[in-house]
Amino acid sequence: MKSLWKKGEASRCRDELDRLVYRSRLIGQESKLCVWSGGNTSTKCEERDFLGQWKKILRVKGSGADLKTAARKDFSPLDLDKVLEAIDAQKMSEEKLASLLYSSLTDATAPRPSVESLLHAFIPKKDMNHTHPDAILSLTNTKRNREITHKVFGEELLWIPYVMSGFALAKKVAHAFEKNPQAKGALLEKHGLITWADDGKTSYDLTIEMVSRAEKYIAQCAKKKKWSGAAVATLPKPRREAFLEEFLPHLRRACSQKQRVILHYVDSPEVLKFVNSKLGPRVSQVGPATPDHMLHTKRIPLFVKGTPGKITPENLVRQVNAYAAAHEKYFWKHRKPGMLMLDPYPRVILIPGIGMVTTGKDLKSAKIAAEVYEHAISIMKGASTVDRYASLTEAQAFAMEYWALELYKLTLTPAEGEMSRQIGLVTGAAGAIGKAIAMKCARAGAHVIVADLNAQAVKKVAEEINTEVKSEKAFPCVLDVTGEKSVEAGFQTVVRTFGGIDFVVSNAGVAHVSSVEKLPLRDWNQSLAVNATGHFLIAKTAVQLMRRQQMGGAFVFIASKNVLAPGREFGAYSAAKAAETQLARILAIENGELGIRVNLINPDGVFEGSGLWERIRRSRAKTWGIAPRELEKYYQGRNLMKVPVFADDVAESVLFLVSQRSAKTTGCILTVDGGVKEAFPR
Ligand code: ZN
C-alpha cells in the first residue's frame, strides 16, 4: 500500500484539528483501509473551552461521519482529563459510557462521540488511527491468527483477543499497552488495526507500513497456494442479462416483504470469481469480516443454491424466504428483552454464474452494501490463502448486529421521503411538464427514469434533478414511445438497474393544428403514433412487468381537457387523446385486482417552458382569432378561476396519483385546468 502523504499539503494545515482532518481524509480515500463510516482517528491537543480556559482535549471522529469526506465539525472535542477518570473503573454499562462521553463534550453542538473514543483516550499517545484494513483482517480472521500475526508483526503490535467495542475493549488495549509500551499499535482480533505515535505523520506511516507487511505476506502465500478452484463458469453476458430481466422482479418482491427495496447488480471479475468458486458457498456463511460491515451487509449473505439455467424464479423466492426464516430463528435465539427484529431479508445475494445482487432502501445504500461486500470478499480470499477463514461466533455477531449504539449510526441518515423505495419512469421527460413531474417525484424520494428521444436532453434533465435533490435519484433513458423495441429495451434497462418498476407517468405527446378538411394524413398518423400508440406501448410493456413482479403499481396518463371538451382545428390531437383515455380506463378495469391503479390527468393551457406550445402558438392563436402573444391571457380568461396553469400544478397532481395518498383511486380523471366547465368529467 502506498502512502498518499504530501508534505506541501500537510504543512499548509494551520492547527492540530486541520492536521487531523488531513490525515483522516488520506485514510478514508483508501477503501482498503476502511469503508463507509468505518474506522476512526484522533489527536490530543490543547484548546480553549467555552470559558476561555486551556484544556487538554481529545478530538475524535464522531459517530456516523465518513473519513474520506470528514471536516473539522465531524471531530468531537472531549475533555481528556474527565474521560480519563473512567480508566480505573472495573466495569461500565453502555448507558454510563454514553453519559460519560456526552458530559465530557466541550461543545454541545458536536456530533455524538464514537463508542471507540475511550480507546483513543486511554492510550497516552498523541495521534491514533483505527482502521479495518482488508489485508490485516485477512490475517486476524483465520484459525491460526495468533501464530500468523506473530510471524508478520512480532511484538510490534499488541494482540487483543476479540471483545466488543466499548469500555472493555478500551481497558484491554490500555492494559496490554502498559505491559508493552514500546508497541506501535494493536491488532484487534476479527476487527481491525490501531496505530499510534507522538505525531500524525508517523501514526499514518505506521498504518501504511503494517498493511503493506500483511499484503506482502498474503502475496507470498498466494505463490504457494491458490485460495480456491472454480466450481462454475460465468454465463455469457447476454444470458446473464436475460437471467436478470427474468429473475430480478421476483427477487425484489421476495426481499421487499417487510420493506420495499431497490436492487443493484455487480459482475466485477473479483465478484464473479468468488460466486463461481468451490469455497464460496462455505466461506461466505462463516460470518462477517469485521463487525462494522454488518450495518450494510448483515451477518451473512444468501448464497444461492443451484446452477443458473436450472433454477426457477419460484425456487429463488423459496431460498430468500428460507434465509429470512433463519434470521428470525437467530434473532429469537439471541434476543434480549425489548429488542425488535430488523428486516430479516438478505442485503447481499450471491448467484453462481451470474454475480452479486445487493439490496437497499435506495440505489445508494444498495451500492454501499456491494462495495462493502467486495471488501469482505477480498478479506475471505486473503484469509483462505494464508489459512482458513474464521469470524465472530453467532452470539458475538448478534451482539454487534443488534447493538443499540451501532444501530444509532443508521438513525443519523435523513428521514425517508414519501416516495422513497419507489421506482418510476416518466416519458417526455425533456419537456416542461415531464421534467416538473420527474423533479417532484425525485424530491419526494423516488428513483425516476427520465425518458425522452434526445440523449443529451435527458442527460441534462437527470443532472439538473440530481443537483437539485443532492442525490442520485434521476437516471436518463433514451426511448422512443412509438417503437416497440425501444420501449421494451427501456424497461429491460430499468429492471437490470433497479430490479423493477412501481409507477409510470405516460406523458410524451405532440400536437398539430388543422381543420379536418385540411389535415394531412402524415400529421394524423404522427399524432396517433405518439398520442395513442405511444401510450399503448408504454402501458403494455409496463403492465406486463408489473403483473410479473406482483407488487401492484400506479399509472398516470397525461391526457387533455380536449378529450371532454374538444376545440376546433385540433382533430388529430383530440382524437388520439380520446384513444389514450379509453386505453387508460380499460387498463384500470383489467388490472385493479392486482393492485395496479390507472388514472388520468387533464391539464389545459400549460405554457410555461412548453416546446409543444411554442410550435403551435401561431396557428392556435389564428384559430381563436387573437394575436399569438395573447394566447396565455385567452386560456387563463376562459377558466373559472382565471388563473394560469403551471407544469408544477400538473406535477403535484401526478405525485398524489402515484403516491399512497390515492391508494383507493383508479380509473379517475383529475382536472388541472383552473376549472373549465365544459370539460368537467362526467
Ligand atoms: Zn472498529
Side-chain angles (χ1 to χ4, degrees), residues 308-324:
K310 296 212 175 116
I311 176 175
T312 61
E314 294 71 34
N315 182 272
L316 182 62
V317 170
R318 268 201 298 279
Q319 294 195 42
V320 171
N321 288 337
Y323 177 99

Side-chain angles (χ1 to χ4, degrees), residues 116 130 132 191:
E116 281 165 346
H130 165 49
H132 309 135
H191 176 169

Side-chain angles (χ1 to χ4, degrees), residues 38-40 116 119 130-132 165 169 188 191-193 290-292 400 406 409:
N40 37 59
E116 281 165 346
L119 202 66
H130 165 49
T131 51
H132 309 135
S165 292
L169 176 63
L188 308 181
H191 176 169
L193 171 72
T290 182
D292 215 53
M400 273 312 288
E406 190 70 359
K409 281 188 188 171

Side-chain angles (χ1 to χ4, degrees), residues 3-5 26-27 129 200-208:
S3 167
L4 301 173
W5 195 277
L26 289 193
I27 291 171
N129 308 314
K201 173 151 193 316
T202 310
S203 78
Y204 174 78
D205 287 345
L206 279 171
T207 301
I208 302 295

Side-chain angles (χ1 to χ4, degrees), residues 335-399:
R335 90 179 266 273
K336 294 208 173 72
M339 278 182 176
L340 291 175
M341 190 171 72
L342 299 170
D343 189 340
Y345 293 93
R347 297 287 316 269
V348 179
I349 299 122
L350 305 171
I351 313 170
I354 301 290
M356 168 166 76
V357 178
T358 55
T359 76
K361 65 176 179 184
D362 53 20
L363 191 65
K364 186 184 171 193
S365 60
K367 281 182 174 176
I368 291 177
E371 191 184 337
V372 169
Y373 204 76
E374 286 197 68
H375 286 282
I377 287 176
S378 154
I379 294 159
M380 287 183 274
K381 281 170 66 176
S384 306
T385 305
V386 302
D387 187 33
R388 268 170 82 93
Y389 178 69
S391 174
L392 309 181
T393 63
E394 201 185 89
Q396 286 169 339
F398 181 85

Side-chain angles (χ1 to χ4, degrees), residues 66-367:
D66 195 29
L67 283 175
K68 70 170 167 287
T69 53
R72 289 172 71 93
K73 64 170 175 47
D74 294 320
F75 295 89
S76 312
L78 290 165
D79 180 335
L80 185 58
D81 286 331
K82 186 160 182 197
V83 179
L84 282 175
E85 283 172 22
I87 201 164
D88 294 327
Q90 290 307 312
K91 259 188 176 168
M92 188 175 282
S93 67
E94 280 176 25
E95 294 77 14
K96 278 192 182 161
L97 171 60
S99 298
L100 170 72
L101 293 175
Y102 259 127
S103 62
S104 304
L105 279 173
T106 62
D107 176 357
T109 63
R112 178 177 170 136
S114 152
V115 285
E116 281 165 346
S117 300
L118 279 193
L119 202 66
H120 294 261
F122 286 1
I123 301 292
K125 290 283 179 182
K126 190 171 142 304
D127 294 289
M128 292 176 63
N129 308 314
H130 165 49
T131 51
H132 309 135
D134 292 2
I136 295 285
L137 291 167
S138 294
L139 308 190
T140 64
N141 292 29
T142 53
K143 297 268 183 228
R144 296 184 296 118
N145 53 17
R146 188 68 201 98
E147 182 192 320
I148 293 168
T149 53
H150 197 262
K151 205 185 314 177
V152 179
F153 304 107
E155 299 296 323
E156 284 177 79
L157 295 178
L158 306 171
W159 174 256
I160 312 295
Y162 181 79
V163 57
M164 214 163 101
S165 292
F167 184 76
L169 176 63
K171 281 282 275 192
K172 257 196 178 177
V173 179
H175 195 63
F177 177 81
E178 262 173 42
K179 284 197 197 152
N180 177 9
Q182 303 304 317
K184 295 169 179 169
L187 290 164
L188 308 181
E189 185 185 22
K190 293 163 189 166
H191 176 169
L193 171 72
I194 315 173
T195 60
W196 51 64
D198 287 322
D199 72 280
K201 173 151 193 316
T202 310
S203 78
Y204 174 78
D205 287 345
L206 279 171
T207 301
I208 302 295
E209 185 196 327
M210 298 306 167
V211 173
S212 301
R213 271 201 235 172
E215 284 175 343
K216 215 170 134 192
Y217 181 75
I218 298 166
Q220 278 168 0
C221 295
K223 280 183 197 158
K224 290 176 231 154
K225 183 191 154 194
K226 213 173 151 201
W227 77 277
S228 172
V232 183
T234 302
L235 287 191
K237 200 170 171 73
R239 282 191 61 198
R240 296 212 298 280
E241 287 185 345
F243 178 91
L244 295 172
E245 282 152 25
E246 187 189 350
F247 281 72
L248 288 192
H250 296 281
L251 189 56
R252 179 163 180 252
R253 178 181 74 249
C255 292
S256 294
Q257 292 177 68
K258 185 145 179 178
Q259 274 181 306
R260 215 163 263 237
V261 289
I262 307 296
L263 306 187
H264 174 58
Y265 169 65
V266 181
D267 60 352
S268 65
E270 289 307 309
V271 164
L272 284 170
K273 260 187 235 164
F274 187 76
V275 299
N276 294 342
S277 67
K278 277 186 201 145
L279 265 189
R282 182 181 66 73
V283 86
S284 67
Q285 302 304 303
V286 172
T290 182
D292 215 53
H293 282 190
M294 283 189 291
L295 264 185
H296 308 286
T297 63
K298 299 183 86 78
R299 189 175 72 87
I300 48 172
L302 165 62
F303 202 105
V304 173
K305 293 184 191 82
T307 36
K310 296 212 175 116
I311 176 175
T312 61
E314 294 71 34
N315 182 272
L316 182 62
V317 170
R318 268 201 298 279
Q319 294 195 42
V320 171
N321 288 337
Y323 177 99
H327 184 93
E328 207 165 320
K329 220 170 129 195
Y330 154 81
F331 174 76
W332 286 104
K333 187 169 157 197
H334 299 285
R335 90 179 266 273
K336 294 208 173 72
M339 278 182 176
L340 291 175
M341 190 171 72
L342 299 170
D343 189 340
Y345 293 93
R347 297 287 316 269
V348 179
I349 299 122
L350 305 171
I351 313 170
I354 301 290
M356 168 166 76
V357 178
T358 55
T359 76
K361 65 176 179 184
D362 53 20
L363 191 65
K364 186 184 171 193
S365 60
K367 281 182 174 176

